[in-house]
């Protein structure tokens, strides 16, 4: 299957594109309208959803459903539905190839995603090769993790694909640079920026940090390719992370701190091939980044077996399954086994540049990757500032995160954050839990420890209690309260 020509679509002028966007908005094609359609296929594996989605969409005789069928879900619509949906835009859309005649209907040879009011055109991944990835399953967790509170200056989306992350970041930043090694991805991101009327995204072609060699950013987001790939694999630019799969990610992380301003932050989605022959992802990462001037938090999630990995990626490349799927899956299994991979560990790597203290490196066990969120990351990075010295720890005001619950296990206490939070439960001592209770009213760590010891509630030393507080802050089960700003009257 050959990739459809993107140049005639790219040549559509701004007037047509803004009319198309306005039209899609006017017919009500929003993420909210799509939600119940996706809901109808909840529980069905994403690679098997097509017939369920088509069935559900065909029961809705409204232009937004026609648009979704033709542009998003690969289900051809008829002339009358087309005219009702696209009106006078139909001719240029067909002439450019964004809509194509297939049998008795018309459908796009591309795919479109709708996210947060943005429309993004991308390729169908089964084309492999230079196909450009749009909204993937990990794109949304990445976006959720890269929205720190407050406005930001300059951001980088490295390996932008069709530009979804860059376009979302553009709303929170003064400017975004989006880069990709694939010229087609560069063209699509530029197109999607134009389509959505976004003017503060600059798109550059090149590998890793080459196109931004002299730039430094407040924020870097990236989901580089991380799939283990044999030399003879039929892959795509969006997939191949090297033979073990982590080669590209490690090179990216190595160079990353030099491209962050002091205090700047990066969030990287990565997956790590793992097995008895290989060191744990945290050790590999630490070895690669021995002296970087940056805090590193590696959030690890439940591993996926090599069998599931091989079957799912092969099905994504060959959605009609059959012999091609089988050959692909066998090749991926064989390559994984040759490389000593039993399982793949999904992760989020959060890096924050620090120049004024010793950086910290931590491996944390995350809840599901879908729970990644910037609020928790903001809190965890703030905690790292609080524990920079004993004095700053003792002077900090700390509290339990909202919704945290505790369960008495007898000799210890299990502390759980709400299920939508990005961290799993931890076990703490009953003593520390009693100390937590003293953080109920705003008090510094120093005052809480003093009160706790004065009440004769602990046999521990103040230093030992402070150490336990520091560790709970670092693993996200306590939070630092930002200081209240007191403004003196006139
Ligand atoms: C997995 S896709 C991610 C797409 C999108 N950013 C997202 O998160 O949904 C990885 C992207 O990285 C690009 N890429 C691969 N190797 C690269 C390199 N050496 N330098 C820059 N980009 C690269 C691919 O072309 C692809 O668009």
């Amino acid at each position: 299957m050959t990739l459809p020509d993107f140049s005639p679509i790219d040549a559509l002028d701004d007037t047509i594109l803004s009319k198309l966007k306005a039209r899609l908005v006017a017919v009500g094609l929003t993420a909210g309208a799509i939600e119940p359609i996706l809901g109808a296929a909840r529980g069905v594996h994403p690679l098997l959803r097509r017939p369920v989605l088509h069935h559900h969409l065909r029961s809705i005789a409204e232009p937004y459903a026609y648009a979704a069928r033709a542009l998003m879900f690969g289900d051809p619509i008829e002339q009358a539905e087309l005219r009702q949906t696209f009106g006078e835009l139909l001719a240029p859309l067909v002439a450019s190839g964004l809509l194509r005649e297939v049998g008795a209907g018309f459908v796009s040879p591309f795919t479109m995603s709708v996210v947060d009011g943005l429309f993004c055109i991308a390729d169908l991944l089964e084309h492999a090769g230079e196909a450009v990835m749009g909204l993937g399953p990990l794109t949304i967790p990445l976006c959720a993790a890269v929205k720190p509170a407050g406005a930001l200056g300059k951001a980088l989306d490295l390996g932008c694909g069709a530009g979804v992350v860059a376009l979302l970041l553009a709303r929170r930043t003064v400017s975004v640079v989006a880069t990709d090694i694939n010229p087609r991805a560069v063209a699509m991101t530029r197109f999607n920026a134009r389509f959505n009327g976004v003017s503060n995204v600059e798109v550059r072609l090149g590998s890793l940090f080459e196109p931004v060699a002299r730039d430094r950013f407040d924020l870097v987001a990236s989901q580089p390719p991380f799939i283990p790939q044999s030399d003879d694999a039929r892959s795509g630019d969006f997939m191949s992370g090297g033979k073990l799969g982590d080669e590209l990610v490690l090179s990216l992380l190595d160079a990353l701190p030099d491209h962050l301003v002091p205090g700047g932050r990066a969030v990287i989605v990565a997956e790590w091939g793992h097995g008895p022959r290989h060191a744990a992802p945290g050790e590999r990462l630490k070895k690669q980044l021995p002296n970087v001037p940056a805090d590193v938090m590696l959030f690890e999630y439940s591993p996926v077996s090599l069998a599931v990995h091989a079957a799912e990626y092969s099905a994504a490349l060959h959605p009609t399954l059959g012999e091609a799927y089988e050959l692909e899956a066998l090749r991926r299994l064989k390559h994984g086994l040759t490389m000593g991979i039993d399982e793949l560990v999904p992760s989020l790597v959060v890096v924050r540049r620090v120049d004024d203290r010793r950086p910290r490196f931590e491996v944390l066990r995350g809840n599901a990757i879908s729970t990644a969120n910037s609020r928790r990351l903001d809190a965890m990075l703030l905690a790292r500032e609080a524990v920079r010295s004993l004095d700053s720890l003792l002077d900090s005001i700390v509290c339990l995160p909202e919704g945290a619950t505790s369960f008495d296990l007898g000799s210890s206490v299990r502390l759980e954050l709400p299920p939508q939070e990005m961290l799993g439960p931890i076990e703490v001592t009953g003593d520390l839990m009693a100390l937590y209770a003293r953080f109920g009213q705003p008090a510094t760590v120093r005052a809480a420890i003093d009160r706790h010891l004065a009440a004769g509630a602990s046999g521990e030393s103040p230093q030992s209690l402070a150490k336990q507080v520091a560790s709970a802050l670092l693993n996200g089960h306590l939070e630092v309260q930002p200081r209240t700003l007191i403004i003196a009257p006139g």
Side-chain angles (χ1 to χ4, degrees), residues 131-136 138-139 142 157-165 179-182 185 206-209 222-226 237-240 248:
V132 177
M133 178 173 148
L135 187 72
L138 298 178
T139 311
L142 174 60
D157 173 10
L158 194 156
C160 57
V164 178
V165 179
T179 65
D180 206 288
I181 198 170
N182 179 357
S207 180
L208 295 175
F209 290 97
S222 184
Q223 183 186 180
F226 44 66
D237 281 347
F238 58 90
M239 286 179 90
S240 179
L248 192 69

Side-chain angles (χ1 to χ4, degrees), residues 8-9 12-13 16 86-99:
I9 296 164
L12 286 170
D13 69 34
I16 303 256
F86 298 108
E88 80 288 358
L89 294 170
L90 187 54
L93 296 187
V94 172
S96 69
L98 187 57
L99 286 170

Side-chain angles (χ1 to χ4, degrees), residues 249-431:
V249 175
L250 286 172
S251 313
L252 186 160
L253 285 164
D254 204 15
L256 175 62
D258 287 343
H259 296 278
L260 288 173
V261 299
R265 181 190 310 188
V267 183
I268 313 297
V269 173
E271 216 166 79
W272 308 82
H274 190 235
R277 263 168 48 196
H278 301 289
E283 286 170 44
R284 271 139 74 185
L285 191 53
K286 196 160 185 190
K287 190 166 161 217
Q288 184 79 15
L289 311 173
N291 298 312
V292 289
D295 283 342
V296 177
M297 292 191 280
L298 170 68
F299 292 88
E300 284 186 3
Y301 301 96
S302 298
V304 177
S305 72
L306 174 65
V308 170
H309 166 88
E312 292 191 346
Y313 277 98
S314 304
L317 289 173
H318 302 282
T320 53
L321 305 180
E323 199 182 343
Y325 159 75
E326 278 192 35
L327 287 174
E328 182 82 42
L330 285 171
R331 192 169 33 226
R332 287 183 182 278
L333 277 171
K334 191 168 149 223
H335 175 68
L337 291 171
T338 312
M339 295 304 297
I341 298 172
D342 291 346
E343 58 183 23
L344 292 106
V345 182
S347 77
L348 204 63
V349 189
V350 180
V351 177
R352 190 210 210 176
R353 173 131 190 166
V354 288
D355 295 274
D356 55 352
R357 64 170 166 81
R358 253 187 56 216
R360 312 188 69 95
F361 182 97
E362 273 126 345
V363 179
L364 297 132
R365 175 104 202 106
N367 211 345
I369 197 159
S370 56
T371 58
N373 75 80
S374 317
R375 209 201 81 73
R376 173 68 37 221
L377 292 181
D378 285 347
M380 292 184 76
L381 291 171
L382 194 61
R384 274 145 186 80
E385 295 307 321
V387 303
R388 59 191 296 147
S389 71
L390 183 61
D391 273 343
S392 80
L393 170 65
L394 293 174
D395 288 340
S396 300
I397 297 174
V398 303
C399 58
L400 280 168
E402 212 180 305
T405 41
S406 59
F407 301 91
D408 196 347
L409 303 178
S411 58
S412 64
V413 176
R414 183 182 158 94
L415 191 57
E416 274 188 17
L417 301 185
Q420 70 276 15
E421 269 294 353
M422 61 186 288
L423 296 160
I426 56 161
E427 277 184 36
V428 298
T429 62
D431 198 0

